[in-house]
Amino acid sequence: MAKRSDDSVPRYADMFSAMGAEPRLRIMRLLLAAHPEGMVAGDIGAQLEIPGSTLSHHLDKLRNEELVNVRREGTFLRYSANAEALQDLLRFLFVECCTRNRAVQPDKVTCC
């Protein structure tokens, strides 16, 4: 079988890498639970018991990979999950199995 060339693989690998640390995965789950409003950075840190400087590092990594959006509200930064980017990431994972070997049946995949 010929190897398929896909220019998007490095982008998605970086996105997975960004979520590959336990604190960042916890942040993503929390932001998805708070979707679409998102959460203020201080509330994220308090809920997950992550110090401010460490939280800032993790949020920057997620933002750099476009997994979270940020907007300023006065003196606060509000973060929200980038649902479009996450949908693209899931689509990337499922496109091969759903179109080639049917390892995952789309009608068998449920959410929540």
Side-chain angles (χ1 to χ4, degrees), residues 82-101:
N82 182 346
E84 287 181 28
L86 291 167
Q87 287 174 356
D88 287 345
L89 185 60
L90 291 173
R91 193 173 300 112
F92 167 78
L93 278 181
F94 283 98
V95 72
E96 287 298 315
C97 70
C98 293
T99 59
R100 285 190 182 211
N101 67 10

Side-chain angles (χ1 to χ4, degrees), residues 38-60:
M39 296 179 71
V40 173
D43 292 343
I44 297 169
Q47 188 155 345
L48 297 177
E49 299 179 349
I50 300 175
S53 60
T54 304
L55 178 65
S56 178
H57 162 76
H58 290 307
L59 289 169
D60 282 346

Side-chain angles (χ1 to χ4, degrees), residues 1-6 9 96 100:
M1 181 183 299
K3 190 174 182 181
R4 185 177 156 196
S5 172
D6 192 341
V9 171
E96 287 298 315
R100 285 190 182 211

Side-chain angles (χ1 to χ4, degrees), residues 62-73:
L62 294 168
R63 188 180 49 79
N64 288 341
E65 297 306 329
E66 300 177 2
L67 292 164
V68 299
N69 298 314
V70 61
R71 67 182 180 275
R72 181 168 292 282
E73 293 180 354

Side-chain angles (χ1 to χ4, degrees), residues 7-45:
D7 294 338
S8 62
V9 171
R11 174 178 179 250
Y12 294 121
D14 289 343
M15 292 169 83
F16 278 116
S17 178
M19 287 190 295
E22 181 183 338
R24 291 194 288 267
L25 191 54
R26 290 181 185 278
I27 291 167
M28 289 304 302
R29 288 184 72 197
L30 186 62
L31 290 177
L32 283 166
H35 188 73
E37 293 83 16
M39 296 179 71
V40 173
D43 292 343
I44 297 169

